[in-house]
Amino acid sequence: INDFVAFVNDLGGVDVYDPNYLVDEYDGNPPEFHHMYGHEALWYVRKREGTSDIDRNRRQQEMIRALMRKILWGGNLVNLPAWYAKYKNRYRSNLEFIDLVSFIPLALHFGDQSRIHYDQIGWEDVTSWRTSIGASVLLPKREALLWILDNAMRFVLAPSPYSDLVNTLEAQLTASPIPTDTPTSTPSPTPTETP
């Protein structure tokens, strides 16, 4: 938990877009992009009061999107060595630093979020049920979940060209020794003049 808070703070916070963002004691802002630092981001993804498991899953997906944008846009991956050094002893993985570096080209392709598809289980996909000890659980409807998985596989397997955004992210990473702020709109490559 503390590592999640620390990492979000190391990123300078994240911008989370949530049209269903609840106005409550933590944040009185209306639905829009919300800049969140560590503790607010943790509260956002863990909050249970007044919401459902499905709401919480949606918020967690939105946080993943926000983290990906912040990490991949604006040349922020130049911080990878520092992040690795700080957090390497706080998780278990068989990935070494050199492995992470080799995945940077693939990671930059995920910066084009039109190439990422998010599905979520909704109320129509589950049945509410109470266990013998009184716990409330959601039982999946098999046919609905199979349709979601099939839809996800069709998206993954559909060929699609990479956008210009990937070239921009590559240029930001190689040209910016100091990370820049996350762009507020989708950047496009700047044409270069040749003599």
Side-chain angles (χ1 to χ4, degrees):
I1 293 173
N2 289 338
D3 291 336
F4 176 82
V5 170
F7 186 62
V8 171
N9 287 337
D10 286 347
L11 290 173
V14 292
D15 295 312
V16 176
Y17 177 74
D18 185 353
N20 300 309
Y21 194 52
L22 298 175
V23 176
D24 64 17
E25 70 281 357
Y26 206 102
D27 187 335
N29 294 324
E32 59 184 30
F33 270 100
H34 295 271
H35 191 76
M36 298 180 187
Y37 288 97
H39 285 289
E40 185 179 3
L42 180 63
W43 165 85
Y44 180 76
V45 297
R46 295 183 73 195
K47 178 178 169 66
R48 289 182 178 269
E49 296 79 15
T51 66
S52 68
D53 289 338
I54 290 174
D55 292 330
R56 192 167 57 259
N57 290 340
R58 177 188 48 75
R59 291 193 305 271
Q60 290 170 357
Q61 282 188 353
E62 192 53 52
M63 181 59 66
I64 290 170
R65 293 180 200 186
L67 288 167
M68 288 179 65
R69 283 190 301 265
K70 190 68 177 212
I71 291 168
L72 298 175
W73 290 11
N76 288 320
L77 270 177
V78 296
N79 292 310
L80 184 60
W83 295 335
Y84 183 81
K86 181 174 181 178
Y87 294 103
K88 69 179 180 179
N89 296 322
R90 300 181 184 180
Y91 65 91
R92 291 184 182 179
S93 174
N94 61 353
L95 293 175
E96 299 294 333
F97 178 71
I98 193 66
D99 299 316
L100 295 178
V101 170
S102 70
F103 286 126
I104 288 177
L106 175 62
L108 291 176
H109 289 292
F110 290 128
D112 178 2
Q113 297 204 343
S114 68
R115 305 261 316 154
I116 301 174
H117 182 74
Y118 291 86
D119 276 308
Q120 182 182 344
I121 296 172
W123 288 111
E124 65 280 4
D125 306 317
V126 295
T127 302
S128 294
W129 187 68
R130 194 164 292 276
T131 67
S132 59
I133 60 171
S136 179
V137 296
L138 300 175
L139 299 177
K141 294 179 181 175
R142 179 178 170 81
E143 296 78 18
L145 294 188
L146 288 175
W147 185 88
I148 291 172
L149 290 173
D150 183 59
N151 189 41
M153 289 305 299
R154 278 187 272 117
F155 178 83
V156 168
L157 297 175
S160 176
Y162 292 119
S163 72
D164 290 339
L165 176 59
V166 176
N167 295 330
T168 301
L169 296 176
E170 289 173 349
Q172 289 174 342
L173 182 59
T174 57
S176 177
I178 299 172
T180 59
D181 290 334
T182 302
T184 55
S185 61
T186 304
S188 59
T190 304
T192 56
E193 296 181 17
T194 55

mmCIF file of all heavy atoms in Angstrom, residues 17 19 21 27-28 39 55 61-62 70-71 78 89-90 94 99 103 119 124 132 150 194-195:
data_model
loop_
_atom_site.group_PDB
_atom_site.id
_atom_site.type_symbol
_atom_site.label_atom_id
_atom_site.label_comp_id
_atom_site.label_asym_id
_atom_site.label_seq_id
_atom_site.Cartn_x
_atom_site.Cartn_y
_atom_site.Cartn_z
ATOM 1 N N TYR A 17 -9.610 10.396 -15.211
ATOM 2 C CA TYR A 17 -10.900 10.843 -15.738
ATOM 3 C C TYR A 17 -11.958 9.851 -15.307
ATOM 4 O O TYR A 17 -11.858 8.658 -15.582
ATOM 5 C CB TYR A 17 -10.899 10.946 -17.263
ATOM 6 C CG TYR A 17 -12.258 11.346 -17.790
ATOM 7 C CD1 TYR A 17 -12.715 12.648 -17.660
ATOM 8 C CD2 TYR A 17 -13.098 10.417 -18.371
ATOM 9 C CE1 TYR A 17 -13.966 13.026 -18.110
ATOM 10 C CE2 TYR A 17 -14.352 10.772 -18.835
ATOM 11 C CZ TYR A 17 -14.778 12.086 -18.701
ATOM 12 O OH TYR A 17 -16.023 12.438 -19.141
ATOM 13 N N PRO A 19 -16.186 9.959 -15.257
ATOM 14 C CA PRO A 19 -17.460 10.681 -15.351
ATOM 15 C C PRO A 19 -18.409 10.349 -14.210
ATOM 16 O O PRO A 19 -19.367 11.059 -13.976
ATOM 17 C CB PRO A 19 -18.038 10.215 -16.691
ATOM 18 C CG PRO A 19 -17.374 8.897 -16.944
ATOM 19 C CD PRO A 19 -16.011 8.991 -16.324
ATOM 20 N N TYR A 21 -17.328 10.059 -11.042
ATOM 21 C CA TYR A 21 -16.603 10.362 -9.804
ATOM 22 C C TYR A 21 -17.565 10.918 -8.762
ATOM 23 O O TYR A 21 -18.345 11.824 -9.046
ATOM 24 C CB TYR A 21 -15.516 11.385 -10.103
ATOM 25 C CG TYR A 21 -14.479 11.534 -9.017
ATOM 26 C CD1 TYR A 21 -13.823 10.424 -8.513
ATOM 27 C CD2 TYR A 21 -14.145 12.783 -8.526
ATOM 28 C CE1 TYR A 21 -12.853 10.562 -7.543
ATOM 29 C CE2 TYR A 21 -13.183 12.928 -7.556
ATOM 30 C CZ TYR A 21 -12.537 11.813 -7.069
ATOM 31 O OH TYR A 21 -11.582 11.944 -6.107
ATOM 32 N N ASP A 27 -13.293 14.731 -1.887
ATOM 33 C CA ASP A 27 -13.094 15.635 -3.021
ATOM 34 C C ASP A 27 -14.448 16.204 -3.422
ATOM 35 O O ASP A 27 -15.336 15.478 -3.822
ATOM 36 C CB ASP A 27 -12.481 14.864 -4.188
ATOM 37 C CG ASP A 27 -12.098 15.759 -5.346
ATOM 38 O OD1 ASP A 27 -12.692 16.850 -5.482
ATOM 39 O OD2 ASP A 27 -11.211 15.383 -6.112
ATOM 40 N N GLY A 28 -14.600 17.509 -3.348
ATOM 41 C CA GLY A 28 -15.867 18.133 -3.700
ATOM 42 C C GLY A 28 -15.943 18.549 -5.151
ATOM 43 O O GLY A 28 -16.820 19.320 -5.526
ATOM 44 N N HIS A 39 -2.184 9.253 -1.637
ATOM 45 C CA HIS A 39 -3.227 8.813 -0.711
ATOM 46 C C HIS A 39 -4.624 8.933 -1.326
ATOM 47 O O HIS A 39 -5.475 8.064 -1.107
ATOM 48 C CB HIS A 39 -3.148 9.591 0.607
ATOM 49 C CG HIS A 39 -2.010 9.135 1.470
ATOM 50 N ND1 HIS A 39 -1.999 7.920 2.100
ATOM 51 C CD2 HIS A 39 -0.832 9.728 1.775
ATOM 52 C CE1 HIS A 39 -0.874 7.772 2.772
ATOM 53 N NE2 HIS A 39 -0.145 8.851 2.576
ATOM 54 N N ASP A 55 -18.371 -0.902 -9.313
ATOM 55 C CA ASP A 55 -17.866 0.477 -9.326
ATOM 56 C C ASP A 55 -16.370 0.501 -9.015
ATOM 57 O O ASP A 55 -15.598 1.225 -9.644
ATOM 58 C CB ASP A 55 -18.598 1.337 -8.296
ATOM 59 C CG ASP A 55 -20.051 1.567 -8.642
ATOM 60 O OD1 ASP A 55 -20.380 1.592 -9.841
ATOM 61 O OD2 ASP A 55 -20.870 1.713 -7.715
ATOM 62 N N GLN A 61 -9.667 0.165 -13.077
ATOM 63 C CA GLN A 61 -9.276 0.219 -14.482
ATOM 64 C C GLN A 61 -8.888 1.637 -14.889
ATOM 65 O O GLN A 61 -7.911 1.841 -15.619
ATOM 66 C CB GLN A 61 -10.418 -0.272 -15.379
ATOM 67 C CG GLN A 61 -10.571 -1.762 -15.430
ATOM 68 C CD GLN A 61 -11.572 -2.208 -16.479
ATOM 69 O OE1 GLN A 61 -12.259 -1.392 -17.094
ATOM 70 N NE2 GLN A 61 -11.658 -3.505 -16.693
ATOM 71 N N GLU A 62 -9.646 2.619 -14.431
ATOM 72 C CA GLU A 62 -9.327 4.004 -14.778
ATOM 73 C C GLU A 62 -7.989 4.419 -14.186
ATOM 74 O O GLU A 62 -7.228 5.165 -14.811
ATOM 75 C CB GLU A 62 -10.447 4.942 -14.318
ATOM 76 C CG GLU A 62 -10.322 6.332 -14.886
ATOM 77 C CD GLU A 62 -10.186 6.362 -16.402
ATOM 78 O OE1 GLU A 62 -11.007 5.759 -17.104
ATOM 79 O OE2 GLU A 62 -9.229 7.004 -16.882
ATOM 80 N N LYS A 70 0.730 8.429 -17.520
ATOM 81 C CA LYS A 70 1.762 9.197 -16.818
ATOM 82 C C LYS A 70 3.144 8.587 -17.023
ATOM 83 O O LYS A 70 4.122 9.299 -17.200
ATOM 84 C CB LYS A 70 1.425 9.268 -15.328
ATOM 85 C CG LYS A 70 2.295 10.227 -14.553
ATOM 86 C CD LYS A 70 2.026 11.665 -14.958
ATOM 87 C CE LYS A 70 2.847 12.620 -14.115
ATOM 88 N NZ LYS A 70 2.195 13.881 -13.892
ATOM 89 N N ILE A 71 3.225 7.262 -16.999
ATOM 90 C CA ILE A 71 4.518 6.593 -17.157
ATOM 91 C C ILE A 71 5.040 6.719 -18.586
ATOM 92 O O ILE A 71 6.218 6.962 -18.808
ATOM 93 C CB ILE A 71 4.400 5.105 -16.756
ATOM 94 C CG1 ILE A 71 4.183 4.985 -15.236
ATOM 95 C CG2 ILE A 71 5.631 4.319 -17.185
ATOM 96 C CD1 ILE A 71 3.779 3.592 -14.792
ATOM 97 N N VAL A 78 12.310 7.823 -18.835
ATOM 98 C CA VAL A 78 13.722 8.039 -18.507
ATOM 99 C C VAL A 78 13.971 7.810 -17.021
ATOM 100 O O VAL A 78 15.103 7.622 -16.597
ATOM 101 C CB VAL A 78 14.217 9.455 -18.912
ATOM 102 C CG1 VAL A 78 14.150 9.639 -20.409
ATOM 103 C CG2 VAL A 78 13.468 10.535 -18.171
ATOM 104 N N ASN A 89 13.407 -4.091 -4.380
ATOM 105 C CA ASN A 89 13.369 -4.987 -3.222
ATOM 106 C C ASN A 89 11.998 -5.044 -2.559
ATOM 107 O O ASN A 89 11.847 -5.634 -1.500
ATOM 108 C CB ASN A 89 14.424 -4.564 -2.198
ATOM 109 C CG ASN A 89 15.823 -4.713 -2.748
ATOM 110 O OD1 ASN A 89 16.117 -5.661 -3.478
ATOM 111 N ND2 ASN A 89 16.702 -3.776 -2.425
ATOM 112 N N ARG A 90 10.999 -4.419 -3.171
ATOM 113 C CA ARG A 90 9.667 -4.365 -2.571
ATOM 114 C C ARG A 90 8.657 -5.252 -3.281
ATOM 115 O O ARG A 90 7.479 -5.218 -2.960
ATOM 116 C CB ARG A 90 9.177 -2.923 -2.555
ATOM 117 C CG ARG A 90 10.108 -2.039 -1.745
ATOM 118 C CD ARG A 90 9.632 -0.637 -1.689
ATOM 119 N NE ARG A 90 10.585 0.213 -1.001
ATOM 120 C CZ ARG A 90 10.424 1.496 -0.806
ATOM 121 N NH1 ARG A 90 9.331 2.096 -1.237
ATOM 122 N NH2 ARG A 90 11.329 2.190 -0.186
ATOM 123 N N ASN A 94 10.868 -12.217 -11.595
ATOM 124 C CA ASN A 94 12.058 -12.768 -12.235
ATOM 125 C C ASN A 94 12.589 -11.829 -13.309
ATOM 126 O O ASN A 94 13.512 -12.166 -14.036
ATOM 127 C CB ASN A 94 11.773 -14.156 -12.821
ATOM 128 C CG ASN A 94 10.687 -14.119 -13.883
ATOM 129 O OD1 ASN A 94 10.052 -13.092 -14.110
ATOM 130 N ND2 ASN A 94 10.465 -15.248 -14.522
ATOM 131 N N ASP A 99 15.791 -6.718 -18.546
ATOM 132 C CA ASP A 99 14.549 -7.226 -19.143
ATOM 133 C C ASP A 99 13.541 -6.097 -19.319
ATOM 134 O O ASP A 99 12.873 -5.997 -20.349
ATOM 135 C CB ASP A 99 13.938 -8.323 -18.269
ATOM 136 C CG ASP A 99 14.860 -9.512 -18.100
ATOM 137 O OD1 ASP A 99 15.451 -9.939 -19.104
ATOM 138 O OD2 ASP A 99 14.996 -9.994 -16.960
ATOM 139 N N PHE A 103 11.739 -4.231 -22.871
ATOM 140 C CA PHE A 103 10.307 -4.121 -23.127
ATOM 141 C C PHE A 103 9.858 -2.685 -23.418
ATOM 142 O O PHE A 103 8.680 -2.453 -23.683
ATOM 143 C CB PHE A 103 9.503 -4.657 -21.940
ATOM 144 C CG PHE A 103 9.505 -6.157 -21.834
ATOM 145 C CD1 PHE A 103 9.891 -6.774 -20.658
ATOM 146 C CD2 PHE A 103 9.122 -6.947 -22.912
ATOM 147 C CE1 PHE A 103 9.896 -8.157 -20.544
ATOM 148 C CE2 PHE A 103 9.117 -8.329 -22.810
ATOM 149 C CZ PHE A 103 9.507 -8.941 -21.625
ATOM 150 N N ASP A 119 -12.671 -4.069 -20.885
ATOM 151 C CA ASP A 119 -13.995 -4.630 -20.684
ATOM 152 C C ASP A 119 -14.233 -4.706 -19.187
ATOM 153 O O ASP A 119 -13.291 -4.813 -18.399
ATOM 154 C CB ASP A 119 -14.112 -6.036 -21.284
ATOM 155 C CG ASP A 119 -14.433 -6.000 -22.758
ATOM 156 O OD1 ASP A 119 -15.408 -5.316 -23.124
ATOM 157 O OD2 ASP A 119 -13.714 -6.631 -23.538
ATOM 158 N N GLU A 124 -25.485 -6.900 -15.327
ATOM 159 C CA GLU A 124 -26.202 -7.857 -16.171
ATOM 160 C C GLU A 124 -25.418 -9.157 -16.354
ATOM 161 O O GLU A 124 -25.944 -10.152 -16.834
ATOM 162 C CB GLU A 124 -26.505 -7.237 -17.542
ATOM 163 C CG GLU A 124 -25.287 -6.915 -18.382
ATOM 164 C CD GLU A 124 -24.570 -5.602 -18.018
ATOM 165 O OE1 GLU A 124 -24.971 -4.944 -17.044
ATOM 166 O OE2 GLU A 124 -23.604 -5.266 -18.721
ATOM 167 N N SER A 132 -23.955 -18.899 3.194
ATOM 168 C CA SER A 132 -24.578 -19.387 4.430
ATOM 169 C C SER A 132 -24.114 -18.608 5.660
ATOM 170 O O SER A 132 -24.796 -18.606 6.680
ATOM 171 C CB SER A 132 -24.273 -20.877 4.623
ATOM 172 O OG SER A 132 -22.862 -21.070 4.680
ATOM 173 N N ASP A 150 -14.546 -13.528 -25.453
ATOM 174 C CA ASP A 150 -14.491 -13.653 -26.906
ATOM 175 C C ASP A 150 -14.300 -12.293 -27.562
ATOM 176 O O ASP A 150 -13.503 -12.131 -28.484
ATOM 177 C CB ASP A 150 -15.772 -14.321 -27.409
ATOM 178 C CG ASP A 150 -15.736 -14.553 -28.912
ATOM 179 O OD1 ASP A 150 -14.812 -15.254 -29.375
ATOM 180 O OD2 ASP A 150 -16.622 -14.022 -29.620
ATOM 181 N N THR A 194 14.717 19.295 -43.437
ATOM 182 C CA THR A 194 16.005 18.787 -43.914
ATOM 183 C C THR A 194 16.656 19.844 -44.767
ATOM 184 O O THR A 194 15.985 20.561 -45.511
ATOM 185 C CB THR A 194 15.798 17.488 -44.746
ATOM 186 O OG1 THR A 194 14.871 17.768 -45.791
ATOM 187 C CG2 THR A 194 15.284 16.365 -43.871
ATOM 188 N N PRO A 195 17.961 19.994 -44.627
ATOM 189 C CA PRO A 195 18.645 21.042 -45.413
ATOM 190 C C PRO A 195 18.665 20.745 -46.890
ATOM 191 O O PRO A 195 18.545 19.671 -47.341
ATOM 192 C CB PRO A 195 20.053 21.059 -44.827
ATOM 193 C CG PRO A 195 20.201 19.822 -44.018
ATOM 194 C CD PRO A 195 18.839 19.276 -43.757
#
